[in-house]
Amino acid sequence: MAIACPKTIVFLPVLLLIGCGGGGTSDQVETPYDQISGAYSLLEKDYEINNLTPLENLPQGHGAGSALYSGYVMLSVTNAPISDIAGDIQINVDFETTNVSGHASGFHSNDGASLTVVDANAVPILADEIPFVGGFDMANRSNDYPISFDLMGNLLTNEGAVIGIDVAMTGDFIGNDADAVGGMAAGVATVTDAISGPVVGTFLAVQ
C-alpha cells in the first residue's frame, strides 16, 4: 500500500543535484542518472510546478481528445542497496474519459548502474517498463491532487538485489493549456520481500 502524500507540490532539489557534477573534478564521468537528472532540472525551469492550468482551459467532455506527455521520474529510496533512482515516464491522458495510463522505463541508479524491470521471480520483463493506469478528477483539486496513478514494480540491480517499489503518483496539470503534468511520489520499497523503507520523489512530463 503506497503512502499518502500531503497536497504540496514541491520538487525535491536534492534529487536534482545528486550527480550533476557540482564540486566534482573536470574529468568526472557523467552517468545516465546524471543525464536524466540534468534534463529533469531543465524541464522544471521551463514548467513551473505551481503554475496550474485554469479549469476553463482544460479540454473536457465529448471530443476532448487526449494528450501524450513524456518526461522523467526521480525517486529517493531509504534503507535499500541503492538510494536514488531516475527514469523516463510517458503519461497518456484521455480528457474525454478522464483516464490516465502509461509506463515508466529506462531506470538508472545514482551509482551509475542500470536497473532492469523484473517480475516477482526476478525474471526480466521484455518491455523493461512498469505500466500503470489511473485517472483524474478535477473536482478534487481544492483538497487533493486531481491526477493519480500507482507505480508498482520490481527493479533488479547489477548485484542481483530485487527492489520492489509501490508508489502513489499524484499531481496536476501545469501551464496555461495543460502543457505538462507533474507532482509527487510517495510509497514504500521492499528488498527480498521485506519492507525496506519509504520512497519519495517527483515526476514531470510535457507534451
Side-chain angles (χ1 to χ4, degrees):
M1 178 68 66
I3 298 172
C5 184
K7 182 175 171 54
T8 304
I9 301 180
V10 180
F11 283 161
L12 305 180
V14 65
L15 294 174
L16 304 182
L17 294 176
I18 295 173
C20 288
T25 59
S26 59
D27 59 352
Q28 184 175 4
V29 176
E30 185 178 50
T31 67
Y33 177 93
D34 299 333
Q35 294 170 352
I36 295 175
S37 180
Y40 186 100
S41 184
L42 291 176
L43 276 188
E44 185 187 13
K45 291 179 181 178
D46 291 335
Y47 297 90
E48 170 56 47
I49 191 64
N50 293 318
N51 180 26
L52 301 182
T53 303
L55 290 177
E56 61 270 19
N57 288 5
L58 279 174
Q60 310 179 52
H62 181 70
S66 62
L68 178 63
Y69 298 84
S70 298
Y72 310 100
V73 56
M74 309 290 294
L75 302 174
S76 181
V77 186
T78 303
N79 300 325
I82 53 175
S83 59
D84 293 288
I85 300 170
D88 302 321
I89 193 167
Q90 286 200 342
I91 305 170
N92 186 71
V93 176
D94 189 320
F95 289 103
E96 183 173 348
T97 65
T98 71
N99 291 330
V100 172
S101 61
H103 66 267
S105 61
F107 293 98
H108 300 275
S109 58
N110 64 326
D111 61 3
S114 298
L115 304 173
T116 304
V117 179
V118 296
D119 64 16
N121 298 311
V123 176
I125 293 175
L126 292 180
D128 201 25
E129 62 189 35
I130 300 176
F132 57 80
V133 294
F136 70 92
D137 183 355
M138 300 313 296
N140 288 340
R141 178 180 264 187
S142 59
N143 299 311
D144 204 350
Y145 297 103
I147 301 171
S148 64
F149 56 92
D150 292 329
L151 192 63
M152 300 175 60
N154 300 300
L155 300 173
L156 180 68
T157 71
N158 287 350
E159 290 73 32
V162 176
I163 301 174
I165 56 172
D166 182 354
V167 185
M169 312 287 284
T170 52
D172 208 332
F173 295 99
I174 302 167
N176 191 57
D177 297 302
D179 308 297
V181 293
M184 305 295 297
V188 294
T190 59
V191 180
T192 316
D193 296 327
I195 294 295
S196 171
V199 179
V200 297
T202 57
F203 69 98
L204 181 60
V206 301
Q207 291 197 57

